[in-house]
Amino acid sequence: MCGIVGYTGFRQATEVLLTGLYNLEYRGYDSAGVSVFEDGVIQTVKTQGRIQKLADKLAAAPLHGNCGIAHTRWATHGVPSDVNAHPHCSEHVALLHNGIIENYLEIKEELLAKGYQFVSQTDTEVAAHLISSLYTGDPLEAIAKALERIEGSYAFAMVFQDHPNRVYGARKDSPLIAAVGQGENFILSDISATLKYTKDFYVLDDGDIVEISPETIRIFNHQLQPVSHPLNTAHWNVEQAQKGGYDHFMLKEIFEQPEAFVKTVARHILPDGLPSFVRDNIPEDLFQGCRRIQIVACGTAMYAGMVGKNLIERFARIPVSVDVASEYRYNNPIIDKGDLVIAISQSGETADTLAALRLAKQQGAKTLGIVNVFGSTIARESDHVIYTLAGPEIAVASTKALTVQMAMLYLLALCLGMENGQLDRERCRTLTAQLLDCQNHIQQALSLAEPISAIVPGIIDRESLFFIGRGLDYALALEGSLKLKELSYLHSEAYAAGELKHGPISLITDGMPVIALGTQQSVLPKTVSNMKEVKARGAKTLLICKKSAKVDTDAYDFRIDLPDCPDEFTPFAAIVAMQLLAYYKAVQSGCDVDKPRNLAKSVTVE
Ligand code: F6R
């Protein structure tokens, strides 16, 4: 949600800033801007629209200088427009922001009374004027004083007119890092912005203020006492963050799933064939005597949680609740000291998931993060963290991250099952081997790309459609429906197949598409009955099931055959099929697959 790049060094700043913005474009893409010191004076160029539009503006009227800040925006306060684009400028400072300033109205009134004039509808402009009003020559002091007043979440990057060659930053509840180069330094939302230049970075803590010059990075707490943080090195490389010959990041990431899956799973299988989290330094007693588990997450990660619930209850017989993180935090959840609360997040920065995690910690639960981005806030704040090894996920719609989240939850379910005596070692070993074998199912599902692309025009030809499924298939139906609607802007609903008769079936009209997930042999006949019910009312159906499933051909118009495997291991192949359906529908409809409208990859505001 909003991407931030700050640079000071020996290169042309606009080149570095634009490279960084393109790499962060997945975080928001409704407007963009830069402020650069040119001949010692801050010059600002900004525009509504994509980064390319900003690049075109800068190509027409280049800015020359070696220090500056840049922003790609996902609008919160104020429509996407030139004036609302960041940076916002005041007398002494140009500032950009990711987050929400909650008390901006109150501060704005005070500043208006002092004669400050506002040109935008943003909360951010308030911060620019506030810092400027507090500035008496020392940027750090002005920032620290301003932060005492500001409530809400923020990652700021700033340049001060009197201090060319320096960039300042501050953070609270929004990610910000300081990346380290040779004779150049950076302030960034995340390291993917500058993998081309450096992989080394410091993660800032909430309350930190940072100052970078070409040679130095100085980090302070909010009382301006120096603080030091460990230096991290990104494990991702530039190629991973590029399209590598695919038309879209999403397609590349769909095809990266076998590799991401094997990396994630193999790391957690010991030579004796049993699953383990010792390599993540998870203490054995985390799982011992675990009586209740709560999973908190948002969107796709929450659907991974639903799959996790099914597996943990199946293999370990431990009750699991799954909550949308934004609801959990406001629903006065019952959290007992011995509960294990699992926060699942690709980005590790999702504001609601982070808040749910903090609440659980406060109330004494043990917390475990399942996170993809190294050093992210959820990873750092969880008592324990297990990293999924998907590599960078750039497309806004999550694909490979979900697969590895599910893989991790399988491993967790097996460990818990072994720990509490529900699974003996031999059974656990067999299940672990079956899990590893899912890499082949994923591969086989990928080979369906062309047939799936060919099916799309026949089945997804209405503005509105249904996904249905039972058990594990229900969680996958929810995810399939989400993927389709976010990418293609179609109205799509997912239902537990048995629920259709309790209301939604009244929406079935002639030709309405219904996509049925039927990978669970144990409930397939029931799902098939539901398909026949909708077909009898005019629906057109697609069945996604195992190759060997025997289903009356009257029940479906189209069928996608997935590799055969035990019911509990079908989600990996099924999810690939649904990702491909959504992908090809979006491509065929001419939608912007990697950057769907209104969305952002990392949702760092509530
Ligand atoms: C959908 C999607 C979102 C994310 C959700 C949580 O394709 O990507 O629903 O899954 O915003 O994000 P993370 O996993 O970063 O917490």
Side-chain angles (χ1 to χ4, degrees):
M1 200 136 286
C2 299
I4 291 177
V5 189
Y7 176 75
T8 177
F10 53 87
R11 300 174 207 266
Q12 278 303 322
T14 47
E15 185 192 315
V16 179
L17 295 174
L18 282 173
T19 303
L21 285 189
Y22 279 123
N23 291 334
L24 294 180
E25 197 169 15
Y26 65 85
R27 300 179 75 93
Y29 32 83
D30 55 43
S31 51
V34 295
S35 287
V36 170
F37 282 101
E38 190 174 50
D39 299 327
V41 179
I42 297 174
Q43 302 289 353
T44 297
V45 176
K46 48 192 196 171
T47 179
Q48 181 270 338
R50 295 279 166 101
I51 292 159
Q52 189 55 50
K53 215 168 149 190
L54 176 70
D56 293 345
K57 260 191 165 180
L58 287 167
L63 286 180
H64 299 287
N66 308 109
C67 175
I69 53 175
H71 188 257
T72 178
R73 177 170 186 244
W74 186 87
T76 57
H77 290 60
V79 295
S81 66
D82 286 4
V83 277
N84 286 338
H86 303 205
H88 290 280
C89 300
S90 192
E91 193 187 351
H92 301 290
V93 68
L95 171 147
L96 50 83
H97 169 216
N98 172 23
I100 292 180
I101 299 173
E102 285 163 4
N103 58 341
Y104 79 101
L105 272 179
E106 181 188 315
I107 303 175
K108 187 172 179 176
E109 273 165 27
E110 288 170 23
L111 291 165
L112 281 168
K114 286 184 185 159
Y116 283 89
Q117 286 179 359
F118 288 80
V119 292
S120 78
Q121 291 97 49
T122 64
D123 50 342
T124 304
E125 195 181 4
V126 169
H129 287 320
L130 178 65
I131 290 173
S132 215
S133 73
L134 296 167
Y135 179 75
T136 53
D138 181 352
L140 292 168
E141 224 175 79
I143 297 168
K145 277 191 197 148
L147 298 188
E148 283 172 20
R149 285 295 325 276
I150 292 174
E151 288 164 20
S153 61
Y154 49 78
F156 291 125
M158 294 153 271
V159 280
F160 285 76
Q161 182 52 64
D162 297 348
H163 299 264
N165 295 330
R166 276 165 213 265
V167 181
Y168 296 83
R171 78 155 271 181
K172 180 177 159 271
D173 293 341
S174 276
L176 200 65
I177 64 170
V180 188
Q182 298 276 328
E184 58 184 349
N185 287 310
F186 310 80
I187 290 176
L188 308 165
S189 295
D190 72 62
I191 193 68
S192 65
T194 55
L195 285 173
K196 184 173 163 190
Y197 308 111
T198 180
K199 291 184 176 182
D200 296 331
F201 62 102
Y202 299 105
V203 179
L204 301 189
D205 273 344
D206 276 351
D208 281 355
I209 301 172
V210 61
E211 179 203 68
I212 61 167
S213 72
E215 285 79 33
T216 56
I217 294 182
R218 298 198 300 156
I219 306 174
F220 306 88
N221 64 17
H222 61 285
Q223 286 149 342
L224 295 183
Q225 291 154 337
V227 288
S228 60
H229 294 308
L231 186 66
N232 301 289
T233 301
H235 305 296
W236 298 346
N237 57 40
V238 183
E239 294 71 42
Q240 282 178 307
Q242 289 173 347
K243 276 193 214 150
Y246 286 88
D247 287 344
H248 298 100
F249 277 111
M250 181 178 175
L251 191 62
K252 171 175 175 256
E253 288 161 11
I254 290 173
F255 274 84
E256 281 172 348
Q257 289 178 109
E259 192 194 333
F261 176 89
V262 173
K263 258 187 169 174
T264 300
V265 175
R267 178 179 158 82
H268 296 97
I269 302 179
L270 296 180
D272 64 2
L274 290 171
S276 161
F277 290 98
V278 283
R279 293 199 175 114
D280 302 283
N281 299 319
I282 302 294
E284 283 182 4
D285 64 1
L286 186 68
F287 302 140
Q288 279 161 5
C290 180
R291 293 272 155 268
R292 200 168 72 126
I293 294 176
Q294 303 184 28
I295 296 179
V296 289
C298 299
T300 293
M302 205 267 294
Y303 299 140
M306 288 175 68
V307 172
K309 170 183 164 71
N310 182 302
L311 300 170
I312 296 169
E313 292 184 344
R314 187 187 295 236
F315 293 133
R317 305 304 296 159
I318 297 170
V320 182
S321 61
V322 182
D323 282 271
V324 177
S326 55
E327 288 293 308
Y328 180 85
R329 55 186 299 201
Y330 295 117
N331 274 350
N332 193 13
I334 300 168
I335 304 169
D336 288 334
K337 285 225 166 354
D339 287 351
L340 176 62
V341 173
I342 303 176
I344 307 174
S345 177
Q346 187 285 128
S347 62
E349 300 292 351
T350 301
D352 285 313
T353 309
L354 177 61
L357 173 81
R358 286 177 176 163
L359 178 71
K361 266 180 94 169
Q362 255 168 29
Q363 301 202 8
K366 295 182 273 188
T367 58
L368 173 67
I370 297 181
V371 176
N372 195 46
V373 176
F374 181 80
S376 56
T377 312
I378 293 175
R380 288 182 301 124
E381 292 200 15
S382 301
D383 295 327
H384 307 283
V385 61
I386 311 174
Y387 284 107
T388 49
L389 302 177
E393 195 182 58
I394 310 288
V396 165
S398 190
T399 52
K400 60 177 178 170
L402 166 68
T403 289
V404 290
Q405 285 161 354
M406 291 196 306
M408 213 53 109
L409 289 157
Y410 272 82
L411 291 160
L412 200 63
L414 297 179
C415 280
L416 284 160
M418 224 171 26
E419 201 56 61
N420 73 356
Q422 291 291 327
L423 295 176
D424 63 36
R425 292 165 73 83
E426 222 26 67
R427 171 100 178 104
C428 196
R429 209 168 267 131
T430 307
L431 289 166
T432 308
Q434 284 174 331
L435 173 64
L436 198 52
D437 196 35
C438 289
Q439 62 178 293
N440 297 319
H441 308 155
I442 298 173
Q443 203 70 60
Q444 288 168 45
L446 288 172
S447 70
L448 298 173
E450 273 189 31
I452 288 177
S453 161
I455 280 180
V456 165
I459 182 75
I460 310 177
D461 59 352
R462 297 290 167 102
E463 283 299 305
S464 187
L465 70 156
F466 281 173
F467 281 77
I468 57 170
R470 290 170 179 261
L472 280 172
D473 282 336
Y474 173 48
L476 303 182
L478 286 161
E479 168 61 8
S481 171
L482 172 67
K483 215 90 299 172
L484 187 70
K485 79 179 99 179
E486 69 179 324
L487 295 178
S488 311
Y489 317 140
L490 296 175
H491 173 240
S492 165
E493 300 269 357
Y495 286 101
E499 274 293 292
L500 280 182
K501 286 197 280 289
H502 299 282
I505 202 166
S506 68
L507 289 172
I508 299 291
T509 51
D510 224 20
M512 168 106 165
V514 176
I515 298 175
L517 275 287
T519 72
Q520 301 297 293
Q521 203 56 42
S522 54
V523 286
L524 181 59
K526 311 258 177 232
T527 305
V528 170
S529 299
N530 300 131
M531 291 173 72
K532 288 189 172 174
E533 286 159 9
V534 292
K535 263 199 89 65
R537 287 157 181 84
K540 184 162 54 176
T541 57
L542 162 66
L543 173 64
I544 301 175
C545 61
K546 291 182 212 171
K547 203 191 269 167
S548 63
K550 293 202 171 24
V551 178
D552 187 348
T553 50
D554 289 353
Y556 58 83
D557 298 285
F558 301 91
R559 174 170 164 157
I560 295 174
D561 283 334
L562 300 177
D564 285 314
C565 66
D567 275 6
E568 54 267 42
F569 292 106
T570 57
F572 295 102
I575 210 67
V576 171
M578 281 184 302
Q579 292 165 352
L580 290 169
L581 268 178
Y583 171 78
Y584 285 114
K585 177 62 193 170
V587 170
Q588 290 166 19
S589 307
C591 298
D592 188 343
V593 176
D594 284 336
K595 299 186 201 76
R597 71 179 176 216
N598 301 340
L599 294 179
K601 181 82 184 154
S602 177
V603 185
T604 52
V605 293
E606 272 194 57

